[in-house]
Amino acid sequence: MWQLKKEKNKPVYQQIVELILGYIDQGRLLPGEKIPSERKLAELLTVNRTTIVHALDELVSMGVIVRKRGSGTVINDGKWGVYRGSTIDWRHYLSKGNTIKTHEYNKKAHRILANRVEVLDVYSGDLPLGLVPELDLPTISWKEFLNEEKKQDSYGYFPLRQLIVERLNETNKLSLDVPNLMLTPGAQQALLLLVQVLLNNGDALAIEEPSSFYQLFIFQAAGIRVYGIPVDKEGMRVDVLEEKILKNRIKMVLVNPNYQNPTGTTMSLKRRKELISICRKYQLPIVEDDVFGELYFDEESRPPLLKKMDPENVIYIGSFSKILGATTKIGWLSGPVKVIEKVAKIRSDLDLNMSIFPQVLAYNALENKTYESQMSDLRLVLFEKMTDLTVRLDEKLKDEVSYYVPEGGCYLWLTFKNVKITTTDYDLLLTQGVIVTPGFVLGAGPQSLRINFSRLIPEQSVILVDVLTEMIRKKIASN
C-alpha cells in the first residue's frame, strides 16, 4: 500500500501529503485509523525521517490527521478544522446541487427507504407529503410563462422578490428594499455563493456544533476551515466563539438561530445580543439561516431576527423548501446591496440563471388566499406531534434520555444519559426498519440522535419509544 512514485519537480514532502490524502479519498485509510510511525513510514517510502515529519506536520495543520499521545497518529474522524485547499468546480456543484458528501450510514438509510415498504422514517428532513400545503397550480398558458420571464433579471423574478420583501417586512418588522434581496434555487446555493464573495481560500468559518451544515463537504473542498461552536439551550456559545475567533482567525459566522437543525433550540434574546456584540467587535459578518422561521408554535414568543437587530452586518437566508417541499428549490438571500450585487454577478458569470417555472409557482402559492390559514394549521399539527412524542418519552424514558422542547420547526434532539450508544446500535435499528439521524452524521457523537417528529402519527410515536426503550434495556442487561 505505502508506495511513493517520486516526481522530479515536486517536493517529496508534498508528494507524501498528496499520497495520504489520496488514500483517504479512496477509502484505503479510514477515519480513526492509525497510520505507521514516522520511522516506519520513512522505511516504507524510502525517504528520510525529516521529510516524513514535514509531511505529517502539514497534514496536522490541515486537520487531516491527529497526533494522540500514547496512541500514535490517526486519521481525523471528523471534519472540524479540516483544510484541503481549493479544488472545487463551482459551476458543477452549484448547478447540480452536489454539496453533501454522503456518510455511510446515510447510504444504508437511503437504500432501506428505496427498497422497503414499511419503515418508521424519522430520518428524512422534509415534511411528509400530507402536511405540505394544498395549493392549486395557476391556470397559465405557455405564452404567459414566457411573458413572465421578461420580469426576471440576474436577481430573480421581480414580482416574487417584491412579495417576499413585503412579507418579511410585515412579519419580522424589517426595513428591506427589493434591491436588498435576490432569489436562489434553495438556501444551499445562497450559502455557497456567499462563500465565494466573503471568504478566501484558507479562511475559517464558524458554525454550530452539531449542525446540518457539517455534511456540506463543499466548505472543505473550497479550502474553507470549518470550526464547530457548541450549542446549549440558549443557542451558540459565544464565549467559545470568541476563543475560536482569536485562536483560529474566524472570518464569518453561520448560525441557524430559530429551531436549529438538529437540536431544535432557539437562540435567546440575550445570546443574540452577545453574538452581535462579539461579531461587531471583530468585524465579522453573520449569516443567519432561517429556513424554519415560519414554523413557529407561538408567534408572540418569537425573538427578533438577527437581521432586525443588526441589519448591516447580518446576511439573511430563507427558503420555501421546508414548507412547499424540497423540489420547490426556491430560497432567497438578503444583505447589503453591494453584497447582493457581487453574489448576482458571480452567479451570472457561472451561467446559473434560475428557471422561471418554480418562481412563478412560488409567487402564486404566496398569493393564494388559503396560504396563511394552511400555515396556521400546519404549525398546530407540528406542535401536537411534538407534544405527543415528548409525552410518550416522559412516560417511558424520563430518566434515560434528555431533550430540549423545541419552540418550532420539526426536529427533536434526543440524548441517551445512562448507556453508551455506538454506531452498531444504529445499524441494528436499521435492520428493524427504524431510521433516525445519528449525531455522528451531524458533527456530534453517537450518544444523540435527531427525530423529525413531523413524520410521526401517534401509533408510530408509540412504536419509536418502545423500540428505543427496548434498545436501552438490552444495553443495560449486557453490562
Side-chain angles (χ1 to χ4, degrees), residues 21 57 84-85 90 95 116 173 182 185 252 259 299 327 389 392 444-445:
L21 291 176
D57 284 345
R84 294 290 296 273
W90 282 98
S95 61
R116 286 182 61 161
K173 297 181 174 59
M182 67 177 287
M252 188 169 82
Y259 333 125
E299 186 171 12
T327 55
L389 175 61
R392 297 183 192 283

Side-chain angles (χ1 to χ4, degrees), residues 192-206:
L192 300 174
L193 287 169
L194 271 178
V195 167
Q196 286 285 279
V197 171
L198 299 178
L199 298 178
N200 296 312
N201 188 352
D203 281 348
L205 168 71

Side-chain angles (χ1 to χ4, degrees), residues 36 89 121 145 150 159 190 192 200 203 229 257 280 300 317 327 336 367 413 456 465 468 475:
D89 178 348
D121 174 22
F145 255 123
K150 296 176 183 178
L192 300 174
N200 296 312
D203 281 348
I229 312 298
R280 281 179 176 172
E300 298 301 320
I317 292 177
T327 55
E367 284 282 81
W413 184 249
L456 289 171
V465 173
L468 295 178
K475 297 286 288 188

